[in-house]
Amino acid sequence: MKSRFKVPDELGIVGVLIIVAVAMALMSPSFRSGGNLSVLLENGVVVAFLALGQTFVLLTGGIDLSVGSNIALTGMLAALTMAAGFPWWVAVIVALLVGIAVGLFNGLIVHYMKLPPFIVTFATFGITASIPKILTNAQSVNIADPMFAVIGRGSLAGIPTPVILVVIALLIFMFVLHRTPYGVHLYAVGGNKETSRLAGINIARVTISAYVVSGICAAFGGLITMSRLMVGYPSAGSGNEQFYSIASSVVGGVSLFGGSGTILGAFIGAILIATVSNGMNVLGVPSFWQPLVIGVIILGGVTLDGYRRAAAARHSGLRRIRRNRNKDNPPESAAEPMPAPAGKTPGSS
Amino acid sequence: MATDNTGWRAEGIVKVYSGIQVLKGVSISLRPGEVIGLVGHNGAGKSTLLKCLSGAVTPEAGTISLDGEALTLTSPQDALHRGISTVYQELALLPNLTVTENIFLGEELTKGGTLDRRGMREVARDLTRQFNLEVDVDRRLGDYPVATRQLLEIAVATHRDAKYLLLDEPTTALESAQVEQFLALVRELSKDRGLGILLIDHKMSELYAVADRIVALVDGEVRIDADVASVSEEAIVEAITGEPATTVGADHQVTLDRDEPTSPPGDVVLKVENLRNKDLEDVSLTAHAGRVLGIYGLIGSGRTEFLRTLIGLGAVDSGSIELFGAPYTPKSPADAQRRGIAYLTEERKIDGIIPLRDSVSNAVLPVINRYSRYGLQLQPGRLRAAGNEYMDTMRVRGSRTAPVASLSGGNQQKVLLARVLAQHPKVLLLDEPTKGVDIGVKVEIHRMLRALAAEQGLTVIVVSSEEEEVLAVADDVVIFSDGYCSGETQHAAGLTDADLRKAAWSH
Ligand SMILES: Nc1ncnc2c1ncn2[C@@H]1O[C@H](COP(=O)(O)OP(=O)(O)OP(=O)(O)O)[C@@H](O)[C@H]1O
Ligand SMILES: [Mg+2]
């Protein structure tokens, strides 16, 4: 049977993104400028990073509420490392290790204690938000090493470094999810843990690693945030980052129940959210309007997606099977093989 | 036999669930090339035994050995690596993955560390073709009907290069032609390829067609373990049901033994004319009070969609429906229920049970308001009493207070039937009512449905893939084929299995 052309899952969200971008561009000339595009991307990078990690966790059927506060923890520990006289690259390693540790902590508890991810990561959110404040007495820490600024402020061929980083991460994750057995296992575990276990999949490894990926992504978020300001401040990531990371994934088509959605969709979702907040800044809309507008867009995006899925299901009509009915040859005994159904695709009416 | 220790051997297996011994020291052995038919009443412990053998659960006591070497299986992977491949009772494939991904789940082919999608697709195409499954291997499995998924699961198990196959009720959703095909496959795998196969099945005719040895499990103990030639069907039925076979009868005997008088048709209760929607091309039929109407048809012929349309789960594009003489437009399941229609789903796990609630709540779910004061304050005592009464009628075995998901498959089905009774319906729409139910209770259910019609004047409509069941339970039969039903009824009394099969294929 020929496999026919498939409409990519991300089509809906790309459509919404284009509509929003065109509308903004029509309303504001400064939105259209090249400089603004780079600002938009830079501002969206942190949320995009978090959304990538969040998607791994959501695909397993979990949720990670600690990514926002993990920005503060990883970033502050990087800043403190440099304040203690270590070079920038040691700070980067420390941040990544801390991100991995937080992910391991979440993953191990969720998997082995069999506790709901919502509760576990909510607790971790509290812990990771407090530690940096306790360590510094809620003071910020200046970062001196100029090399550290490259992460958040540098650029290569005119493209900001953080944008390059997040695109590399996206490509790696797309490869992992679509081209490796691990990727299939992640979707499988999100679809049904017990089934996956019976199929011989190591669910512990899959579940825990998803939280670790999320922790690493949060660490990149922390490094980029601190590097852009060259200050480690303990209340970093306490704004909308957490909420937007989930929202990006969900508008991008990732199911909160696990097992379906794509990482590219989540990434585009993050760009959509960045576009909306950037557009509103450019248009001079007071910032307290942003969550309201983004909320409405999320609802719109998800509703549209629901319609699209329902329509797709209606057209597939696969639950009906058409048969090549043969009056002379009903299958009565085992000796006669089952008549092979005709090569017609079901539901072609 | 004692000196030769090739094969797979379990001895003294004990499994305890919530303080109750579900398996009380079971011993069973399986040699290469041998087919064992494992039978037993619902809740006897068949699935539990199979799970102990496949490493999915760890028994409290007992030893398992392979070719004389003792093993401890700590995970399903262990068993897979030793060449034991399993199909569990509940469908265990993932609807969110593609057909190909499901076939290779946990055993993906790789090329240089990355997925070899093309290679897998090719193998998947061959495999599905071999099984006459017309599927697009790149589509999500959830897009296909249950029977397709069940066949695919069998295909997957055989594909895994196994030496032993453990199959838990693999034929429940299949139609006769597919069952034949499956049985032929079992024979080929065991006799030509030398696989040892353990087959759990409630249908004696299927077991007698392929098994070399029959093991009957009763209340967690082996009651019979004998060569198929040396044990009669009656003896097995008697062991399982605890009653002499003459009063129960093996499945096909029921048809022949049916001697209750069929009542003359009462008033027309349901009249459907030229009903059409996306799944139904043109359906007309009439159901009478006091009669059981059997709907027979192949999978995908629109039978299930027809029942679902009647309770408002499918749109009516054109045509007319009359219920109790008045025009009826299905709106919603709640509305259908208010009009006295009770529906039993084909897929209990998907839209039947609420897995984590106890069986009492599951049984009285639709009528829970009846057991409350002013529709507000629940009266747990009355609720429990009522739920238990309906479940006693259905002979549900197992804890009534534990989550219903912990009951055996057949008992979950009985809980859903209890739910139908609890609604005090006037019209019963039942889709595969005895799926997974053991022989004794199955006959009991058939009798009960006939009594509901004959004695209480209810209208019962039963959809079934089993010819024997249709013939045993129905007064009249209509055939569904390709979304069509002409409404032409035949009396079940004069029909045979072959007549039905022929009609469904040549209509
Ligand atoms: N996970 C569980 N927790 C508690 N009790 C269980 C669990 N699994 C099975 N049981 C109990 O063990 C007993 C045997 O169940 P099992 O599923 O093995 O029966 P079965 O012989 O396969 O029946 P069926 O023919 O209905 O499939 C039942 O009483 C069931 O309630
Ligand atoms: Mg069972």
Side-chain angles (χ1 to χ4, degrees):
Chain A
M1 189 189 289
K2 270 173 282 160
S3 69
R4 40 192 147 135
F5 175 73
K6 266 195 271 178
V7 182
D9 291 338
E10 295 86 5
L11 205 67
I13 173 92
V14 170
V16 177
L17 176 60
I18 292 174
I19 293 169
V20 170
V22 168
M24 297 286 186
L26 288 178
M27 281 190 278
S28 154
S30 47
F31 180 83
R32 276 173 269 158
S33 69
N36 185 52
L37 180 66
S38 145
V39 171
L40 182 160
L41 289 176
E42 275 186 79
N43 286 333
V45 158
V46 173
V47 167
F49 252 118
L50 300 187
L52 295 183
Q54 189 70 257
T55 302
F56 271 70
V57 176
L58 291 177
L59 283 178
T60 66
I63 193 164
D64 190 346
L65 298 180
S66 67
V67 291
S69 54
N70 204 359
I71 290 181
L73 181 68
T74 53
M76 277 305 283
L77 286 174
L80 287 172
T81 307
M82 285 180 279
F86 290 97
W88 68 277
W89 55 269
V90 176
V92 169
I93 292 173
V94 167
L96 291 176
L97 287 178
V98 171
I100 291 172
V102 172
L104 271 178
F105 180 79
N106 284 331
L108 287 169
I109 295 186
V110 165
H111 182 76
Y112 287 106
M113 312 284 276
K114 309 220 180 308
L115 295 177
F118 191 96
I119 300 300
V120 173
T121 59
F122 185 70
T124 313
F125 150 74
I127 297 167
T128 48
S130 296
I131 291 177
K133 294 183 185 150
I134 295 168
L135 288 178
T136 63
N137 224 346
Q139 300 297 308
S140 25
V141 176
N142 285 320
I143 299 171
D145 189 340
M147 282 302 289
F148 189 70
V150 174
I151 300 169
R153 297 179 182 174
S155 68
L156 202 83
I159 307 169
T161 328
V163 175
I164 296 176
L165 286 174
V166 79
V167 169
I168 291 175
L170 171 68
L171 294 177
I172 293 176
F173 291 159
M174 281 171 72
F175 178 84
V176 168
L177 286 183
H178 302 297
R179 295 255 171 266
T180 66
Y182 170 81
V184 178
H185 295 174
L186 201 73
Y187 282 89
V189 169
N192 187 334
K193 279 200 176 45
E194 185 57 17
T195 301
S196 307
R197 186 175 80 88
L198 295 178
I201 292 172
N202 186 339
I203 3 178
R205 206 179 68 192
V206 170
T207 310
I208 296 166
S209 63
Y211 287 91
V212 169
V213 169
S214 184
I216 294 173
C217 287
F220 273 101
L223 289 168
I224 292 167
T225 305
M226 305 306 175
S227 158
R228 287 179 72 189
L229 300 168
M230 286 306 270
V231 173
Y233 63 108
S235 62
S238 59
N240 286 321
E241 290 89 342
Q242 173 66 52
F243 166 59
Y244 286 171
S245 75
I246 299 170
S248 303
S249 310
V250 174
V251 264
V254 178
S255 165
L256 283 175
F257 302 106
S260 88
T262 66
I263 195 111
L264 182 62
F267 185 75
I268 300 172
I271 297 183
L272 173 64
I273 287 178
T275 306
V276 174
S277 43
N278 172 277
M280 292 175 75
N281 283 339
V282 173
L283 288 171
V285 181
S287 66
F288 44 76
W289 276 88
Q290 283 192 17
L292 186 151
V293 173
I294 288 176
V296 170
I297 287 181
I298 290 171
L299 277 182
V302 175
T303 313
L304 251 170
D305 202 49
Y307 274 116
R308 188 183 60 82
R309 268 165 223 254
R314 224 172 295 126
H315 286 298
S316 76
L318 281 168
R319 298 191 72 87
R320 263 288 296 294
I321 301 172
R322 275 169 195 281
R323 294 165 194 268
N324 176 22
R325 282 174 296 154
N326 187 341
K327 285 183 199 290
D328 310 319
N329 190 21
E332 270 168 306
S333 70
E336 282 172 302
M338 188 180 167
K344 248 190 300 177
T345 310
S348 47
S349 54
Chain B
M1 202 198 277
T3 49
D4 177 9
N5 58 9
T6 55
W8 186 236
R9 202 175 193 90
E11 246 154 310
I13 300 289
V14 174
K15 180 69 204 170
V16 178
Y17 275 126
S18 29
I20 296 165
Q21 279 203 3
V22 172
L23 295 177
K24 305 168 182 163
V26 173
S27 300
I28 193 168
S29 64
L30 177 62
R31 298 134 154 287
E34 183 185 40
V35 180
I36 294 188
L38 181 59
V39 289
H41 60 83
N42 294 132
K46 303 179 296 294
S47 301
T48 307
L49 176 61
L50 177 130
K51 285 183 192 156
C52 292
L53 296 178
S54 78
V57 304
T58 317
E60 267 71 36
T63 56
I64 295 177
S65 61
L66 183 60
D67 297 336
E69 177 202 350
L71 304 174
T72 28
L73 297 172
T74 51
S75 74
Q77 279 124 298
D78 271 7
L80 274 174
H81 291 152
R82 309 245 175 202
I84 295 133
S85 186
T86 312
V87 173
Y88 297 93
Q89 182 168 14
E90 306 300 343
L91 286 180
L93 295 178
L94 293 161
N96 60 324
L97 300 188
T98 67
V99 172
T100 308
E101 286 168 343
N102 269 294
I103 290 176
F104 287 92
L105 193 61
E107 314 255 289
E108 290 80 4
L109 301 184
T110 52
K111 231 186 209 163
T114 68
L115 285 176
D116 178 12
R117 290 215 183 250
R118 184 179 305 167
M120 292 197 289
R121 191 176 296 133
E122 252 145 48
V123 179
R125 285 211 182 111
D126 283 349
L127 189 68
T128 50
R129 216 171 283 142
Q130 222 175 300
F131 278 75
N132 282 330
L133 285 168
E134 207 204 330
V135 294
D136 178 348
V137 296
D138 293 324
R139 274 202 100 100
R140 281 163 23 102
L141 184 71
D143 291 341
Y144 292 99
V146 202
T148 309
R149 286 185 243 170
Q150 195 164 45
L151 272 178
L152 193 70
E153 209 170 325
I154 298 166
V156 172
T158 59
H159 165 247
R160 299 217 153 155
D161 215 12
K163 292 202 274 306
Y164 296 93
L165 272 183
L166 311 177
L167 308 171
D168 197 347
E169 302 192 30
T171 60
T172 43
L174 302 186
E175 62 196 30
S176 53
Q178 293 168 326
V179 171
E180 296 290 354
Q181 200 194 339
F182 165 76
L183 296 175
L185 176 81
V186 167
R187 245 176 257 128
E188 185 205 313
L189 290 175
S190 60
K191 298 301 163 278
D192 302 346
R193 289 212 249 151
L195 264 68
I197 299 176
L198 181 74
L199 173 65
I200 300 180
D201 200 328
H202 288 295
K203 290 169 209 151
M204 288 294 147
S205 52
E206 292 176 17
L207 290 174
Y208 269 85
V210 291
D212 301 307
R213 205 143 57 83
I214 301 275
V215 175
L217 209 57
V218 176
D219 282 325
E221 286 176 90
V222 175
R223 192 60 60 83
I224 296 178
D225 185 345
D227 278 352
V228 78
S230 67
V231 57
S232 71
E233 216 165 304
E234 287 73 23
I236 298 170
V237 172
E238 201 171 323
I240 294 171
T241 59
E243 291 167 41
T246 44
T247 62
V248 180
D251 38 8
H252 65 262
Q253 288 173 323
V254 180
T255 353
L256 310 175
D257 293 352
R258 196 175 72 185
D259 51 15
E260 307 103 284
T262 53
S263 50
D267 299 339
V268 171
V269 168
L270 178 74
K271 191 174 170 71
V272 177
E273 276 178 340
N274 306 106
L275 180 65
R276 275 165 226 263
N277 67 18
K278 73 176 168 60
D279 297 307
L280 304 172
E281 298 289 345
D282 187 352
V283 173
S284 303
L285 60 75
T286 315
H288 298 267
R291 307 275 286 185
V292 180
L293 176 67
I295 295 183
Y296 179 75
L298 303 176
I299 287 154
S301 59
R303 333 165 281 187
T304 294
E305 288 73 16
F306 172 69
L307 294 192
R308 294 177 78 89
T309 303
L310 287 182
I311 58 158
L313 293 177
V316 176
D317 292 347
S318 70
S320 68
I321 308 175
E322 268 180 34
L323 185 66
F324 299 112
Y328 166 59
T329 318
K331 281 196 206 78
S332 66
D335 178 60
Q337 210 184 305
R338 272 193 295 275
R339 291 164 188 266
I341 302 178
Y343 167 73
L344 174 76
T345 177
E346 170 191 31
E347 296 181 62
R348 62 170 170 265
K349 218 180 165 188
I350 293 177
D351 52 10
I353 57 166
I354 313 246
L356 296 182
R357 301 295 301 172
D358 57 44
S359 28
V360 171
S361 324
N362 266 285
V364 297
L365 185 67
V367 292
I368 217 149
N369 277 337
R370 208 190 284 154
Y371 308 105
S372 59
R373 216 170 268 132
Y374 318 115
L376 284 171
Q377 189 194 1
L378 276 182
Q379 298 166 299
R382 281 183 60 209
L383 192 138
R384 212 174 312 121
N388 281 328
E389 191 192 318
Y390 295 118
M391 284 192 285
D392 288 341
T393 315
M394 291 318 313
R395 299 217 232 147
V396 174
R397 292 194 191 209
S399 167
R400 304 272 167 98
T401 48
V404 73
S406 74
L407 294 188
S408 78
N411 282 306
Q412 292 175 19
Q413 184 73 13
K414 295 185 217 161
V415 170
L416 290 186
L417 281 161
R419 184 190 288 172
V420 168
L421 295 186
Q423 296 173 40
H424 301 162
K426 296 197 226 63
V427 180
L428 282 71
L429 307 180
L430 311 173
D431 202 346
E432 307 284 1
T434 59
K435 197 173 184 178
V437 170
D438 68 47
I439 323 168
V441 179
K442 186 171 183 174
V443 173
E444 197 63 30
I445 290 172
H446 290 164
R447 236 183 239 147
M448 191 191 76
L449 294 177
R450 296 194 52 73
L452 286 175
E455 286 156 27
Q456 300 185 30
L458 304 188
T459 308
V460 181
I461 300 183
V462 174
V463 163
S464 177
S465 303
E466 272 177 66
E467 295 85 14
E468 292 88 355
E469 171 154 281
V470 173
L471 297 177
V473 76
D475 295 303
D476 311 302
V477 179
V478 291
I479 307 285
F480 266 59
S481 169
D482 252 0
Y484 290 92
C485 177
S486 64
E488 189 189 318
T489 44
Q490 288 170 286
H491 289 292
L495 293 174
T496 64
D497 302 10
D499 293 339
L500 285 183
R501 248 172 261 177
K502 204 162 202 145
W505 277 88
S506 59
H507 224 256

